[in-house]
Amino acid sequence: MITRLTAAIALLLAAAGAAAQDWPTRAITITVPNPPGGMNQIHAQPLSAVIERLTKQPAPVVNRPGGTAAVGTAYVANQPDGYNILVTTPNLYLVIEKDKLYGIKSPFSLDQIALLALLSADPLIMVVHPSLPVKSAKELVALARSRPNELVFSTSGPYGITHTPQALFMEATKTKMRHLPTTGGGPAITQALGGHAQVTGGGPAAIYPYVQSGKLRPIASWGVKPHPSMPQVPTFKSQGIDIEAYLWVGLFTSAGVPEPVQLKMREMIAKVAADPQFRQALENVQVVPDYRDAPEFRKFFDADYKRMAGAIKAIGKL
């Protein structure tokens, strides 16, 4: 029996190795778990173009929105064929932590997902409406403390990518502001532009045009160093507030994909990430390429997950 089992395992490993050697032999589907537009799409489109050029195989981008990216993520988690790649953001674990808070079963678990690579990790930028009489984090903290629950901050939605960093800020500074949730990053910025919210945040790509035009005033970056597109904007850390938050974009696949095939996928992604066409596409929209292979991405992912899980705990049930 043991001999037969050993032989069967050897055959499976040999088959996986053979499949990896020839990979890819057909189309590679790139899933974006959101509607068209936004950071995932910004990365997915040039990713598709370069993959097609390098592999001579189709690489269609398919949008599978729903459930704060849970629908598309669950789809890829259940496709162990090695021909499905997920492009996503911190929503990957934010939805899991939110479901955990409310005792809801998530449509996927993190052990169903394999990390392939990080593509970018831009820090979020806090901005205020120019009518607000503050120009630094210290001044904003003082104003918020003097007017508890009066200032309004807009976000992309409860427990989302721009809500959790604001929660970290309020927890670290012992301030209280009122939350104005919207349906996405764009609408959140629109609320601040119109003066319906005094404070908001977003990735450099979304914030940059309004900072340049003077329609929004930058206060601080949630990164460890200033962003190249806005080097004049200091970090929270440099202003004595020890918080970090990133709008990162990474690539994932099903954990059921054989290891040799995952390795081939990662090798292909490394070539894409180094390709001038791909890098230029990101830089054109103020996104800094920050490629990290799976082992280094895992370290970043785990640290960021820990921070954001703490933010959701601080927010609590709404």
PDB file of all heavy atoms in Angstrom, residues 230-270:
ATOM      1  N   MET A 230       5.096  63.833  -4.560  1.00  0.00           N
ATOM      2  CA  MET A 230       4.813  64.935  -3.645  1.00  0.00           C
ATOM      3  C   MET A 230       5.871  64.970  -2.538  1.00  0.00           C
ATOM      4  O   MET A 230       5.562  64.739  -1.368  1.00  0.00           O
ATOM      5  CB  MET A 230       3.407  64.792  -3.054  1.00  0.00           C
ATOM      6  CG  MET A 230       2.301  65.078  -4.049  1.00  0.00           C
ATOM      7  SD  MET A 230       0.639  64.833  -3.369  1.00  0.00           S
ATOM      8  CE  MET A 230       0.422  63.081  -3.714  1.00  0.00           C
ATOM      9  N   PRO A 231       7.119  65.234  -2.904  1.00  0.00           N
ATOM     10  CA  PRO A 231       8.207  65.185  -1.921  1.00  0.00           C
ATOM     11  C   PRO A 231       8.080  66.223  -0.816  1.00  0.00           C
ATOM     12  O   PRO A 231       8.705  66.082   0.244  1.00  0.00           O
ATOM     13  CB  PRO A 231       9.459  65.431  -2.776  1.00  0.00           C
ATOM     14  CG  PRO A 231       8.961  66.161  -3.982  1.00  0.00           C
ATOM     15  CD  PRO A 231       7.597  65.611  -4.241  1.00  0.00           C
ATOM     16  N   GLN A 232       7.263  67.248  -1.056  1.00  0.00           N
ATOM     17  CA  GLN A 232       7.089  68.296  -0.050  1.00  0.00           C
ATOM     18  C   GLN A 232       6.139  67.889   1.071  1.00  0.00           C
ATOM     19  O   GLN A 232       6.065  68.578   2.099  1.00  0.00           O
ATOM     20  CB  GLN A 232       6.554  69.581  -0.721  1.00  0.00           C
ATOM     21  CG  GLN A 232       5.061  69.590  -1.040  1.00  0.00           C
ATOM     22  CD  GLN A 232       4.668  68.799  -2.293  1.00  0.00           C
ATOM     23  OE1 GLN A 232       5.471  68.059  -2.849  1.00  0.00           O
ATOM     24  NE2 GLN A 232       3.435  68.966  -2.732  1.00  0.00           N
ATOM     25  N   VAL A 233       5.437  66.782   0.894  1.00  0.00           N
ATOM     26  CA  VAL A 233       4.468  66.339   1.904  1.00  0.00           C
ATOM     27  C   VAL A 233       5.173  65.460   2.929  1.00  0.00           C
ATOM     28  O   VAL A 233       5.674  64.376   2.592  1.00  0.00           O
ATOM     29  CB  VAL A 233       3.300  65.566   1.253  1.00  0.00           C
ATOM     30  CG1 VAL A 233       2.299  65.129   2.322  1.00  0.00           C
ATOM     31  CG2 VAL A 233       2.608  66.427   0.198  1.00  0.00           C
ATOM     32  N   PRO A 234       5.239  65.879   4.197  1.00  0.00           N
ATOM     33  CA  PRO A 234       5.934  65.086   5.214  1.00  0.00           C
ATOM     34  C   PRO A 234       5.140  63.845   5.605  1.00  0.00           C
ATOM     35  O   PRO A 234       3.936  63.752   5.350  1.00  0.00           O
ATOM     36  CB  PRO A 234       6.040  66.055   6.395  1.00  0.00           C
ATOM     37  CG  PRO A 234       4.842  66.937   6.233  1.00  0.00           C
ATOM     38  CD  PRO A 234       4.645  67.112   4.752  1.00  0.00           C
ATOM     39  N   THR A 235       5.808  62.896   6.194  1.00  0.00           N
ATOM     40  CA  THR A 235       5.119  61.704   6.688  1.00  0.00           C
ATOM     41  C   THR A 235       4.544  61.981   8.085  1.00  0.00           C
ATOM     42  O   THR A 235       4.965  62.915   8.773  1.00  0.00           O
ATOM     43  CB  THR A 235       6.081  60.515   6.789  1.00  0.00           C
ATOM     44  OG1 THR A 235       7.075  60.805   7.788  1.00  0.00           O
ATOM     45  CG2 THR A 235       6.765  60.244   5.460  1.00  0.00           C
ATOM     46  N   PHE A 236       3.581  61.165   8.483  1.00  0.00           N
ATOM     47  CA  PHE A 236       3.081  61.261   9.852  1.00  0.00           C
ATOM     48  C   PHE A 236       4.207  60.941  10.828  1.00  0.00           C
ATOM     49  O   PHE A 236       4.340  61.576  11.873  1.00  0.00           O
ATOM     50  CB  PHE A 236       1.908  60.296  10.077  1.00  0.00           C
ATOM     51  CG  PHE A 236       0.596  60.813   9.574  1.00  0.00           C
ATOM     52  CD1 PHE A 236      -0.040  60.227   8.490  1.00  0.00           C
ATOM     53  CD2 PHE A 236      -0.030  61.886  10.199  1.00  0.00           C
ATOM     54  CE1 PHE A 236      -1.257  60.702   8.025  1.00  0.00           C
ATOM     55  CE2 PHE A 236      -1.246  62.370   9.753  1.00  0.00           C
ATOM     56  CZ  PHE A 236      -1.863  61.775   8.661  1.00  0.00           C
ATOM     57  N   LYS A 237       5.022  59.947  10.477  1.00  0.00           N
ATOM     58  CA  LYS A 237       6.115  59.537  11.364  1.00  0.00           C
ATOM     59  C   LYS A 237       7.069  60.693  11.650  1.00  0.00           C
ATOM     60  O   LYS A 237       7.530  60.866  12.783  1.00  0.00           O
ATOM     61  CB  LYS A 237       6.876  58.355  10.752  1.00  0.00           C
ATOM     62  CG  LYS A 237       6.122  57.020  10.828  1.00  0.00           C
ATOM     63  CD  LYS A 237       6.931  55.905  10.189  1.00  0.00           C
ATOM     64  CE  LYS A 237       6.240  54.569  10.302  1.00  0.00           C
ATOM     65  NZ  LYS A 237       6.213  54.022  11.666  1.00  0.00           N
ATOM     66  N   SER A 238       7.355  61.507  10.620  1.00  0.00           N
ATOM     67  CA  SER A 238       8.270  62.634  10.802  1.00  0.00           C
ATOM     68  C   SER A 238       7.642  63.725  11.661  1.00  0.00           C
ATOM     69  O   SER A 238       8.339  64.610  12.162  1.00  0.00           O
ATOM     70  CB  SER A 238       8.679  63.211   9.445  1.00  0.00           C
ATOM     71  OG  SER A 238       7.588  63.882   8.828  1.00  0.00           O
ATOM     72  N   GLN A 239       6.304  63.660  11.838  1.00  0.00           N
ATOM     73  CA  GLN A 239       5.602  64.637  12.675  1.00  0.00           C
ATOM     74  C   GLN A 239       5.218  64.050  14.035  1.00  0.00           C
ATOM     75  O   GLN A 239       4.379  64.592  14.746  1.00  0.00           O
ATOM     76  CB  GLN A 239       4.351  65.147  11.938  1.00  0.00           C
ATOM     77  CG  GLN A 239       4.672  65.847  10.621  1.00  0.00           C
ATOM     78  CD  GLN A 239       3.435  66.364   9.907  1.00  0.00           C
ATOM     79  OE1 GLN A 239       2.811  67.328  10.349  1.00  0.00           O
ATOM     80  NE2 GLN A 239       3.065  65.720   8.815  1.00  0.00           N
ATOM     81  N   GLY A 240       5.858  62.913  14.364  1.00  0.00           N
ATOM     82  CA  GLY A 240       5.674  62.324  15.686  1.00  0.00           C
ATOM     83  C   GLY A 240       4.467  61.427  15.856  1.00  0.00           C
ATOM     84  O   GLY A 240       4.114  61.069  16.983  1.00  0.00           O
ATOM     85  N   ILE A 241       3.823  61.034  14.739  1.00  0.00           N
ATOM     86  CA  ILE A 241       2.655  60.152  14.806  1.00  0.00           C
ATOM     87  C   ILE A 241       3.045  58.843  14.124  1.00  0.00           C
ATOM     88  O   ILE A 241       3.214  58.785  12.904  1.00  0.00           O
ATOM     89  CB  ILE A 241       1.427  60.792  14.123  1.00  0.00           C
ATOM     90  CG1 ILE A 241       1.121  62.141  14.773  1.00  0.00           C
ATOM     91  CG2 ILE A 241       0.214  59.868  14.211  1.00  0.00           C
ATOM     92  CD1 ILE A 241       0.070  62.950  14.027  1.00  0.00           C
ATOM     93  N   ASP A 242       3.186  57.790  14.910  1.00  0.00           N
ATOM     94  CA  ASP A 242       3.762  56.536  14.420  1.00  0.00           C
ATOM     95  C   ASP A 242       2.701  55.644  13.774  1.00  0.00           C
ATOM     96  O   ASP A 242       2.242  54.662  14.360  1.00  0.00           O
ATOM     97  CB  ASP A 242       4.453  55.804  15.571  1.00  0.00           C
ATOM     98  CG  ASP A 242       5.276  54.615  15.087  1.00  0.00           C
ATOM     99  OD1 ASP A 242       5.571  54.556  13.878  1.00  0.00           O
ATOM    100  OD2 ASP A 242       5.601  53.736  15.917  1.00  0.00           O
ATOM    101  N   ILE A 243       2.299  55.985  12.548  1.00  0.00           N
ATOM    102  CA  ILE A 243       1.312  55.190  11.813  1.00  0.00           C
ATOM    103  C   ILE A 243       1.766  55.011  10.369  1.00  0.00           C
ATOM    104  O   ILE A 243       2.508  55.833   9.833  1.00  0.00           O
ATOM    105  CB  ILE A 243      -0.105  55.823  11.836  1.00  0.00           C
ATOM    106  CG1 ILE A 243      -0.069  57.283  11.366  1.00  0.00           C
ATOM    107  CG2 ILE A 243      -0.717  55.721  13.231  1.00  0.00           C
ATOM    108  CD1 ILE A 243      -1.428  57.951  11.285  1.00  0.00           C
ATOM    109  N   GLU A 244       1.318  53.897   9.769  1.00  0.00           N
ATOM    110  CA  GLU A 244       1.599  53.600   8.368  1.00  0.00           C
ATOM    111  C   GLU A 244       0.338  53.039   7.715  1.00  0.00           C
ATOM    112  O   GLU A 244      -0.435  52.326   8.362  1.00  0.00           O
ATOM    113  CB  GLU A 244       2.684  52.518   8.229  1.00  0.00           C
ATOM    114  CG  GLU A 244       4.093  52.935   8.510  1.00  0.00           C
ATOM    115  CD  GLU A 244       5.046  51.750   8.341  1.00  0.00           C
ATOM    116  OE1 GLU A 244       5.096  51.174   7.236  1.00  0.00           O
ATOM    117  OE2 GLU A 244       5.694  51.386   9.336  1.00  0.00           O
ATOM    118  N   ALA A 245       0.153  53.306   6.434  1.00  0.00           N
ATOM    119  CA  ALA A 245      -0.941  52.708   5.666  1.00  0.00           C
ATOM    120  C   ALA A 245      -0.623  52.853   4.186  1.00  0.00           C
ATOM    121  O   ALA A 245      -0.141  53.902   3.755  1.00  0.00           O
ATOM    122  CB  ALA A 245      -2.279  53.364   5.993  1.00  0.00           C
ATOM    123  N   TYR A 246      -0.910  51.804   3.429  1.00  0.00           N
ATOM    124  CA  TYR A 246      -0.549  51.792   2.015  1.00  0.00           C
ATOM    125  C   TYR A 246      -1.711  51.349   1.132  1.00  0.00           C
ATOM    126  O   TYR A 246      -2.498  50.484   1.514  1.00  0.00           O
ATOM    127  CB  TYR A 246       0.633  50.835   1.776  1.00  0.00           C
ATOM    128  CG  TYR A 246       1.858  51.217   2.556  1.00  0.00           C
ATOM    129  CD1 TYR A 246       2.072  50.715   3.843  1.00  0.00           C
ATOM    130  CD2 TYR A 246       2.793  52.097   2.032  1.00  0.00           C
ATOM    131  CE1 TYR A 246       3.184  51.084   4.576  1.00  0.00           C
ATOM    132  CE2 TYR A 246       3.920  52.466   2.763  1.00  0.00           C
ATOM    133  CZ  TYR A 246       4.107  51.958   4.033  1.00  0.00           C
ATOM    134  OH  TYR A 246       5.213  52.323   4.765  1.00  0.00           O
ATOM    135  N   LEU A 247      -1.767  51.939  -0.034  1.00  0.00           N
ATOM    136  CA  LEU A 247      -2.656  51.458  -1.081  1.00  0.00           C
ATOM    137  C   LEU A 247      -1.785  50.592  -1.983  1.00  0.00           C
ATOM    138  O   LEU A 247      -1.266  51.039  -2.997  1.00  0.00           O
ATOM    139  CB  LEU A 247      -3.282  52.620  -1.860  1.00  0.00           C
ATOM    140  CG  LEU A 247      -4.204  52.241  -3.030  1.00  0.00           C
ATOM    141  CD1 LEU A 247      -5.250  51.220  -2.609  1.00  0.00           C
ATOM    142  CD2 LEU A 247      -4.859  53.467  -3.618  1.00  0.00           C
ATOM    143  N   TRP A 248      -1.585  49.344  -1.553  1.00  0.00           N
ATOM    144  CA  TRP A 248      -0.731  48.448  -2.332  1.00  0.00           C
ATOM    145  C   TRP A 248      -1.566  47.635  -3.324  1.00  0.00           C
ATOM    146  O   TRP A 248      -2.776  47.466  -3.156  1.00  0.00           O
ATOM    147  CB  TRP A 248       0.100  47.535  -1.435  1.00  0.00           C
ATOM    148  CG  TRP A 248      -0.637  46.678  -0.443  1.00  0.00           C
ATOM    149  CD1 TRP A 248      -0.779  46.893   0.902  1.00  0.00           C
ATOM    150  CD2 TRP A 248      -1.332  45.444  -0.705  1.00  0.00           C
ATOM    151  NE1 TRP A 248      -1.518  45.881   1.483  1.00  0.00           N
ATOM    152  CE2 TRP A 248      -1.861  44.979   0.521  1.00  0.00           C
ATOM    153  CE3 TRP A 248      -1.554  44.684  -1.849  1.00  0.00           C
ATOM    154  CZ2 TRP A 248      -2.599  43.799   0.633  1.00  0.00           C
ATOM    155  CZ3 TRP A 248      -2.293  43.499  -1.754  1.00  0.00           C
ATOM    156  CH2 TRP A 248      -2.799  43.065  -0.522  1.00  0.00           C
ATOM    157  N   VAL A 249      -0.895  47.161  -4.353  1.00  0.00           N
ATOM    158  CA  VAL A 249      -1.524  46.276  -5.338  1.00  0.00           C
ATOM    159  C   VAL A 249      -0.618  45.067  -5.527  1.00  0.00           C
ATOM    160  O   VAL A 249       0.579  45.203  -5.786  1.00  0.00           O
ATOM    161  CB  VAL A 249      -1.738  46.988  -6.690  1.00  0.00           C
ATOM    162  CG1 VAL A 249      -2.296  46.007  -7.723  1.00  0.00           C
ATOM    163  CG2 VAL A 249      -2.687  48.170  -6.529  1.00  0.00           C
ATOM    164  N   GLY A 250      -1.208  43.889  -5.358  1.00  0.00           N
ATOM    165  CA  GLY A 250      -0.442  42.661  -5.477  1.00  0.00           C
ATOM    166  C   GLY A 250      -1.118  41.651  -6.379  1.00  0.00           C
ATOM    167  O   GLY A 250      -2.278  41.804  -6.765  1.00  0.00           O
ATOM    168  N   LEU A 251      -0.361  40.604  -6.706  1.00  0.00           N
ATOM    169  CA  LEU A 251      -0.871  39.514  -7.544  1.00  0.00           C
ATOM    170  C   LEU A 251      -0.944  38.225  -6.728  1.00  0.00           C
ATOM    171  O   LEU A 251      -0.035  37.917  -5.954  1.00  0.00           O
ATOM    172  CB  LEU A 251       0.039  39.308  -8.758  1.00  0.00           C
ATOM    173  CG  LEU A 251       0.234  40.520  -9.676  1.00  0.00           C
ATOM    174  CD1 LEU A 251       1.128  40.143 -10.845  1.00  0.00           C
ATOM    175  CD2 LEU A 251      -1.097  41.057 -10.171  1.00  0.00           C
ATOM    176  N   PHE A 252      -2.030  37.499  -6.943  1.00  0.00           N
ATOM    177  CA  PHE A 252      -2.295  36.281  -6.183  1.00  0.00           C
ATOM    178  C   PHE A 252      -2.853  35.211  -7.115  1.00  0.00           C
ATOM    179  O   PHE A 252      -3.306  35.501  -8.216  1.00  0.00           O
ATOM    180  CB  PHE A 252      -3.327  36.557  -5.076  1.00  0.00           C
ATOM    181  CG  PHE A 252      -2.943  37.660  -4.135  1.00  0.00           C
ATOM    182  CD1 PHE A 252      -3.141  38.996  -4.477  1.00  0.00           C
ATOM    183  CD2 PHE A 252      -2.388  37.380  -2.888  1.00  0.00           C
ATOM    184  CE1 PHE A 252      -2.785  40.021  -3.613  1.00  0.00           C
ATOM    185  CE2 PHE A 252      -2.024  38.394  -2.020  1.00  0.00           C
ATOM    186  CZ  PHE A 252      -2.227  39.722  -2.385  1.00  0.00           C
ATOM    187  N   THR A 253      -2.843  33.982  -6.637  1.00  0.00           N
ATOM    188  CA  THR A 253      -3.495  32.895  -7.344  1.00  0.00           C
ATOM    189  C   THR A 253      -4.046  31.920  -6.318  1.00  0.00           C
ATOM    190  O   THR A 253      -3.926  32.145  -5.104  1.00  0.00           O
ATOM    191  CB  THR A 253      -2.536  32.201  -8.332  1.00  0.00           C
ATOM    192  OG1 THR A 253      -3.291  31.360  -9.206  1.00  0.00           O
ATOM    193  CG2 THR A 253      -1.481  31.366  -7.611  1.00  0.00           C
ATOM    194  N   SER A 254      -4.650  30.852  -6.793  1.00  0.00           N
ATOM    195  CA  SER A 254      -5.180  29.845  -5.872  1.00  0.00           C
ATOM    196  C   SER A 254      -4.040  29.087  -5.199  1.00  0.00           C
ATOM    197  O   SER A 254      -3.042  28.751  -5.842  1.00  0.00           O
ATOM    198  CB  SER A 254      -6.062  28.856  -6.636  1.00  0.00           C
ATOM    199  OG  SER A 254      -6.362  27.725  -5.848  1.00  0.00           O
ATOM    200  N   ALA A 255      -4.192  28.815  -3.906  1.00  0.00           N
ATOM    201  CA  ALA A 255      -3.183  28.028  -3.185  1.00  0.00           C
ATOM    202  C   ALA A 255      -3.120  26.597  -3.702  1.00  0.00           C
ATOM    203  O   ALA A 255      -2.155  25.878  -3.431  1.00  0.00           O
ATOM    204  CB  ALA A 255      -3.499  28.029  -1.690  1.00  0.00           C
ATOM    205  N   GLY A 256      -4.135  26.199  -4.473  1.00  0.00           N
ATOM    206  CA  GLY A 256      -4.153  24.853  -5.040  1.00  0.00           C
ATOM    207  C   GLY A 256      -3.278  24.687  -6.267  1.00  0.00           C
ATOM    208  O   GLY A 256      -3.086  23.566  -6.746  1.00  0.00           O
ATOM    209  N   VAL A 257      -2.729  25.774  -6.789  1.00  0.00           N
ATOM    210  CA  VAL A 257      -1.837  25.693  -7.949  1.00  0.00           C
ATOM    211  C   VAL A 257      -0.537  25.000  -7.517  1.00  0.00           C
ATOM    212  O   VAL A 257       0.070  25.403  -6.512  1.00  0.00           O
ATOM    213  CB  VAL A 257      -1.533  27.094  -8.517  1.00  0.00           C
ATOM    214  CG1 VAL A 257      -0.491  27.014  -9.636  1.00  0.00           C
ATOM    215  CG2 VAL A 257      -2.812  27.751  -9.016  1.00  0.00           C
ATOM    216  N   PRO A 258      -0.077  23.972  -8.235  1.00  0.00           N
ATOM    217  CA  PRO A 258       1.169  23.278  -7.842  1.00  0.00           C
ATOM    218  C   PRO A 258       2.347  24.243  -7.726  1.00  0.00           C
ATOM    219  O   PRO A 258       2.462  25.198  -8.491  1.00  0.00           O
ATOM    220  CB  PRO A 258       1.371  22.275  -8.984  1.00  0.00           C
ATOM    221  CG  PRO A 258       0.008  22.050  -9.553  1.00  0.00           C
ATOM    222  CD  PRO A 258      -0.705  23.373  -9.423  1.00  0.00           C
ATOM    223  N   GLU A 259       3.206  23.975  -6.775  1.00  0.00           N
ATOM    224  CA  GLU A 259       4.362  24.844  -6.517  1.00  0.00           C
ATOM    225  C   GLU A 259       5.218  25.095  -7.765  1.00  0.00           C
ATOM    226  O   GLU A 259       5.631  26.241  -8.011  1.00  0.00           O
ATOM    227  CB  GLU A 259       5.226  24.261  -5.398  1.00  0.00           C
ATOM    228  CG  GLU A 259       4.643  24.448  -4.004  1.00  0.00           C
ATOM    229  CD  GLU A 259       4.658  25.901  -3.538  1.00  0.00           C
ATOM    230  OE1 GLU A 259       5.464  26.691  -4.082  1.00  0.00           O
ATOM    231  OE2 GLU A 259       3.855  26.249  -2.671  1.00  0.00           O
ATOM    232  N   PRO A 260       5.512  24.067  -8.579  1.00  0.00           N
ATOM    233  CA  PRO A 260       6.327  24.345  -9.774  1.00  0.00           C
ATOM    234  C   PRO A 260       5.656  25.329 -10.733  1.00  0.00           C
ATOM    235  O   PRO A 260       6.344  26.138 -11.367  1.00  0.00           O
ATOM    236  CB  PRO A 260       6.474  22.956 -10.425  1.00  0.00           C
ATOM    237  CG  PRO A 260       6.265  21.979  -9.312  1.00  0.00           C
ATOM    238  CD  PRO A 260       5.249  22.615  -8.415  1.00  0.00           C
ATOM    239  N   VAL A 261       4.334  25.282 -10.823  1.00  0.00           N
ATOM    240  CA  VAL A 261       3.608  26.205 -11.688  1.00  0.00           C
ATOM    241  C   VAL A 261       3.615  27.605 -11.071  1.00  0.00           C
ATOM    242  O   VAL A 261       3.795  28.609 -11.777  1.00  0.00           O
ATOM    243  CB  VAL A 261       2.167  25.726 -11.942  1.00  0.00           C
ATOM    244  CG1 VAL A 261       1.399  26.741 -12.790  1.00  0.00           C
ATOM    245  CG2 VAL A 261       2.172  24.367 -12.628  1.00  0.00           C
ATOM    246  N   GLN A 262       3.431  27.682  -9.752  1.00  0.00           N
ATOM    247  CA  GLN A 262       3.508  28.980  -9.084  1.00  0.00           C
ATOM    248  C   GLN A 262       4.866  29.632  -9.337  1.00  0.00           C
ATOM    249  O   GLN A 262       4.953  30.861  -9.558  1.00  0.00           O
ATOM    250  CB  GLN A 262       3.279  28.834  -7.580  1.00  0.00           C
ATOM    251  CG  GLN A 262       1.853  28.559  -7.167  1.00  0.00           C
ATOM    252  CD  GLN A 262       1.657  28.633  -5.656  1.00  0.00           C
ATOM    253  OE1 GLN A 262       2.263  29.475  -4.992  1.00  0.00           O
ATOM    254  NE2 GLN A 262       0.829  27.762  -5.114  1.00  0.00           N
ATOM    255  N   LEU A 263       5.918  28.839  -9.305  1.00  0.00           N
ATOM    256  CA  LEU A 263       7.266  29.374  -9.545  1.00  0.00           C
ATOM    257  C   LEU A 263       7.382  29.952 -10.956  1.00  0.00           C
ATOM    258  O   LEU A 263       7.953  31.029 -11.157  1.00  0.00           O
ATOM    259  CB  LEU A 263       8.307  28.277  -9.327  1.00  0.00           C
ATOM    260  CG  LEU A 263       9.777  28.706  -9.485  1.00  0.00           C
ATOM    261  CD1 LEU A 263      10.123  29.836  -8.523  1.00  0.00           C
ATOM    262  CD2 LEU A 263      10.702  27.516  -9.275  1.00  0.00           C
ATOM    263  N   LYS A 264       6.809  29.244 -11.937  1.00  0.00           N
ATOM    264  CA  LYS A 264       6.825  29.747 -13.312  1.00  0.00           C
ATOM    265  C   LYS A 264       6.027  31.052 -13.428  1.00  0.00           C
ATOM    266  O   LYS A 264       6.430  31.977 -14.142  1.00  0.00           O
ATOM    267  CB  LYS A 264       6.240  28.692 -14.260  1.00  0.00           C
ATOM    268  CG  LYS A 264       7.088  27.442 -14.418  1.00  0.00           C
ATOM    269  CD  LYS A 264       8.351  27.695 -15.210  1.00  0.00           C
ATOM    270  CE  LYS A 264       8.062  27.815 -16.691  1.00  0.00           C
ATOM    271  NZ  LYS A 264       9.301  27.846 -17.505  1.00  0.00           N
ATOM    272  N   MET A 265       4.915  31.128 -12.712  1.00  0.00           N
ATOM    273  CA  MET A 265       4.108  32.348 -12.717  1.00  0.00           C
ATOM    274  C   MET A 265       4.910  33.510 -12.138  1.00  0.00           C
ATOM    275  O   MET A 265       4.915  34.622 -12.676  1.00  0.00           O
ATOM    276  CB  MET A 265       2.819  32.128 -11.914  1.00  0.00           C
ATOM    277  CG  MET A 265       1.892  31.072 -12.497  1.00  0.00           C
ATOM    278  SD  MET A 265       0.488  30.674 -11.413  1.00  0.00           S
ATOM    279  CE  MET A 265      -0.666  31.971 -11.862  1.00  0.00           C
ATOM    280  N   ARG A 266       5.609  33.242 -11.037  1.00  0.00           N
ATOM    281  CA  ARG A 266       6.407  34.288 -10.399  1.00  0.00           C
ATOM    282  C   ARG A 266       7.566  34.738 -11.298  1.00  0.00           C
ATOM    283  O   ARG A 266       7.893  35.932 -11.350  1.00  0.00           O
ATOM    284  CB  ARG A 266       6.932  33.790  -9.058  1.00  0.00           C
ATOM    285  CG  ARG A 266       5.853  33.700  -7.985  1.00  0.00           C
ATOM    286  CD  ARG A 266       6.287  32.859  -6.786  1.00  0.00           C
ATOM    287  NE  ARG A 266       7.593  33.223  -6.287  1.00  0.00           N
ATOM    288  CZ  ARG A 266       8.316  32.462  -5.458  1.00  0.00           C
ATOM    289  NH1 ARG A 266       7.828  31.292  -5.057  1.00  0.00           N
ATOM    290  NH2 ARG A 266       9.478  32.867  -5.022  1.00  0.00           N
ATOM    291  N   GLU A 267       8.179  33.799 -12.006  1.00  0.00           N
ATOM    292  CA  GLU A 267       9.267  34.147 -12.923  1.00  0.00           C
ATOM    293  C   GLU A 267       8.758  35.059 -14.034  1.00  0.00           C
ATOM    294  O   GLU A 267       9.436  36.020 -14.427  1.00  0.00           O
ATOM    295  CB  GLU A 267       9.881  32.871 -13.510  1.00  0.00           C
ATOM    296  CG  GLU A 267      10.687  32.064 -12.499  1.00  0.00           C
ATOM    297  CD  GLU A 267      11.128  30.718 -13.051  1.00  0.00           C
ATOM    298  OE1 GLU A 267      10.687  30.354 -14.170  1.00  0.00           O
ATOM    299  OE2 GLU A 267      11.915  30.018 -12.381  1.00  0.00           O
ATOM    300  N   MET A 268       7.556  34.743 -14.544  1.00  0.00           N
ATOM    301  CA  MET A 268       6.961  35.585 -15.586  1.00  0.00           C
ATOM    302  C   MET A 268       6.654  36.976 -15.053  1.00  0.00           C
ATOM    303  O   MET A 268       6.938  37.993 -15.712  1.00  0.00           O
ATOM    304  CB  MET A 268       5.676  34.938 -16.108  1.00  0.00           C
ATOM    305  CG  MET A 268       4.942  35.782 -17.140  1.00  0.00           C
ATOM    306  SD  MET A 268       3.241  35.236 -17.394  1.00  0.00           S
ATOM    307  CE  MET A 268       2.490  35.706 -15.816  1.00  0.00           C
ATOM    308  N   ILE A 269       6.102  37.051 -13.846  1.00  0.00           N
ATOM    309  CA  ILE A 269       5.738  38.343 -13.255  1.00  0.00           C
ATOM    310  C   ILE A 269       6.981  39.195 -13.008  1.00  0.00           C
ATOM    311  O   ILE A 269       6.954  40.419 -13.189  1.00  0.00           O
ATOM    312  CB  ILE A 269       4.942  38.122 -11.950  1.00  0.00           C
ATOM    313  CG1 ILE A 269       3.573  37.509 -12.281  1.00  0.00           C
ATOM    314  CG2 ILE A 269       4.766  39.434 -11.192  1.00  0.00           C
ATOM    315  CD1 ILE A 269       2.870  36.890 -11.088  1.00  0.00           C
ATOM    316  N   ALA A 270       8.086  38.562 -12.624  1.00  0.00           N
ATOM    317  CA  ALA A 270       9.340  39.308 -12.425  1.00  0.00           C
ATOM    318  C   ALA A 270       9.772  39.979 -13.727  1.00  0.00           C
ATOM    319  O   ALA A 270      10.233  41.132 -13.725  1.00  0.00           O
ATOM    320  CB  ALA A 270      10.431  38.368 -11.928  1.00  0.00           C
TER     321      ALA A 270
END
